[in-house]
C-alpha cells in the first residue's frame, strides 16, 4: 500500500483523530485509490501508534462509507459510484440552501467580502491550472455560509457528503472550465446576497450544486 513520506504529527490531535484526519484526506485526494487495500498494521507503523487508534479511525471512515471493512478478511477504500455521488449533490444542494436560510441574519459585510475573496482566488487558481487550490477555494467559499448557519448538524452532514463528491472531483475535474463555471455561479449567489434577496440567493446556491451534479452525470468512465 503506497503512502506518502511521513510528516510530523499534529500533537494537538489525539492518535485516533490524527490517523482519521490523515486517512480521510488521502482517500479524498486520491492518494489512496478506490479499491486499494488498507493494512492497519502498516498504518500503525507509519504513525508510530498502536493498532487500536488505527482500527477506531478506520471504523469511523467505514461508518462514512469511505472504507469497506470485511471482518476477518480485508479493508479497502470504497469504490466510486456515480448514482451515489449524484444523490450526494442533491442532498448538498438541500443542506446548503437550508444553511443559507439559517445564516441569513448572521451574514455581515465582512462575510460577503470573504466570499468574494475566496471566489476571486478560485478563478485565479483555475486560470493558472492549479486545480487543487481552486478546489480548496471552492470549499472555503461555501464554508462561510455553513459556519454562519451556526448549526453543527448541517456542518457534520455536509462534511460527510462532501468527502464523497470531492473524491470524484479530484479525480475527474481536470479542466479549469469546471472551476471557472463554479466561480461564475458563486458571483450570482453573492449578487443576490448583496441585494438582500434570500430566495434568489437560495436558488442560485441550489443551482450551483445541481449544475456540478450534471457534470458528474456526463462522465462516461465513472
Amino acid at each position: 500500500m503506497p503512502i506518502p513520506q511521513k510528516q510530523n504529527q499534529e500533537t494537538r490531535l489525539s492518535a485516533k483523530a490524527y490517523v482519521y484526519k490523515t486517512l480521510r484526506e488521502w482517500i479524498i485526494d486520491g492518494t489512496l485509490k478506490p479499491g486499494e487495500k488498507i493494512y492497519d498494521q502498516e498504518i500503525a507503523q507509519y504513525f508510530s501508534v498502536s493498532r487500536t487508534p488505527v482500527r477506531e479511525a478506520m471504523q469511523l471512515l467505514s461508518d462514512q462509507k469511505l472504507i469497506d471493512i470485511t471482518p476477518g478478511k480485508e479493508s479497502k477504500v470504497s469504490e466510486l459510484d456515480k448514482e451515489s455521488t449524484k444523490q450526494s449533490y442533491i442532498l448538498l444542494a438541500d443542506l446548503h440552501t437550508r444553511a443559507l436560510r439559517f445564516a441569513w441574519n448572521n451574514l455581515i459585510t465582512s462575510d460577503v467580502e470573504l466570499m468574494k475573496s475566496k471566489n476571486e482566488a478560485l478563478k485565479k487558481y483555475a486560470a493558472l491550472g492549479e486545480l487543487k487550490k481552486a478546489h480548496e477555494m471552492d470549499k472555503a467559499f461555501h464554508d462561510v455560509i455553513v459556519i454562519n448557519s451556526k448549526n453543527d448538524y448541517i456542518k457534520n452532514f455536509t462534511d460527510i457528503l462532501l468527502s464523497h463528491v470531492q473524491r470524484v472531483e479530484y479525480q475527474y475535474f481536470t479542466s479549469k472550465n469546471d472551476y471557472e463555471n463554479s466561480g461564475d455561479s458563486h458571483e450570482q449567489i453573492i449578487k443576490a446576497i448583496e441585494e438582500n434577496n434570500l430566495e434568489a440567493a437560495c436558488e442560485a446556491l441550489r443551482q450551483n450544486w445541481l449544475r456540478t451534479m450534471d457534470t458528474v452525470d456526463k462522465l462516461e468512465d465513472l
Side-chain angles (χ1 to χ4, degrees):
M1 181 184 71
I3 54 180
Q5 183 177 351
K6 186 175 181 181
Q7 298 178 353
N8 292 331
Q9 179 172 336
E10 300 178 33
T11 55
R12 66 181 180 277
L13 297 178
S14 68
K16 181 180 84 170
Y18 184 65
V19 172
Y20 164 79
K21 175 178 179 291
T22 306
L23 288 180
R24 185 175 183 272
E25 289 174 352
W26 288 349
I27 293 170
I28 289 172
D29 68 17
T31 300
L32 295 178
K33 306 297 183 184
E36 186 170 337
K37 292 183 180 180
I38 302 177
Y39 303 99
D40 57 3
Q41 184 173 2
E42 184 176 349
I43 294 295
Q45 291 174 347
Y46 177 88
F47 289 105
S48 301
V49 298
S50 70
R51 295 169 72 177
T52 297
V54 173
R55 289 173 174 170
E56 291 173 345
M58 289 174 60
Q59 184 59 55
L60 286 175
L61 293 167
S62 174
D63 293 342
Q64 296 176 15
K65 309 300 182 185
L66 292 172
I67 291 179
D68 295 328
I69 297 177
T70 304
K73 292 186 178 180
E74 64 181 15
S75 300
K76 62 181 182 179
V77 179
S78 63
E79 299 286 353
L80 297 174
D81 177 79
K82 180 183 287 189
E83 290 305 314
S84 294
T85 302
K86 287 165 58 181
Q87 291 174 10
S88 294
Y89 276 109
I90 293 171
L91 290 170
L92 282 166
D94 291 341
L95 285 171
H96 276 259
T97 301
R98 178 56 58 188
L100 180 56
R101 292 186 182 278
F102 285 163
W104 192 250
N105 293 325
N106 299 326
L107 292 171
I108 58 177
T109 301
S110 61
D111 295 316
V112 178
E113 292 302 316
L114 179 58
M115 293 170 73
K116 287 181 179 179
S117 68
K118 298 301 181 184
N119 197 48
E120 289 170 1
L122 181 159
K123 299 185 82 169
K124 181 191 73 173
Y125 286 130
L128 294 172
E130 298 184 33
L131 301 187
K132 184 173 182 179
K133 289 184 178 179
H135 187 93
E136 292 170 354
M137 291 301 102
D138 182 74
K139 182 179 183 301
F141 173 90
H142 289 284
D143 280 347
V144 176
I145 295 173
V146 172
I147 291 170
N148 276 284
S149 75
K150 301 186 185 301
N151 187 295
D152 288 339
Y153 294 110
I154 286 179
K155 182 181 184 306
N156 290 337
F157 293 152
T158 55
D159 279 349
I160 292 172
L161 291 167
L162 276 171
S163 67
H164 290 279
V165 304
Q166 286 175 326
R167 292 181 67 198
V168 173
E169 291 177 5
Y170 270 118
Q171 180 162 333
Y172 290 97
F173 285 23
T174 57
S175 167
K176 67 180 183 180
N177 291 334
D178 292 325
Y179 294 98
E180 289 176 340
N181 291 339
S182 184
D184 292 340
S185 179
H186 291 169
E187 289 175 357
Q188 296 177 27
I189 299 168
I190 293 170
K191 182 175 183 291
I193 293 174
E194 291 184 319
E195 293 175 349
N196 199 34
N197 190 331
L198 173 58
E199 296 308 319
C202 286
E203 182 58 23
L205 180 58
R206 176 180 295 279
Q207 292 305 317
N208 175 252
W209 287 105
L210 296 184
R211 273 193 291 268
T212 310
M213 181 192 73
D214 290 340
T215 301
V216 171
D217 194 32
K218 295 174 184 176
L219 296 173
E220 296 181 355
D221 53 346
L222 174 59

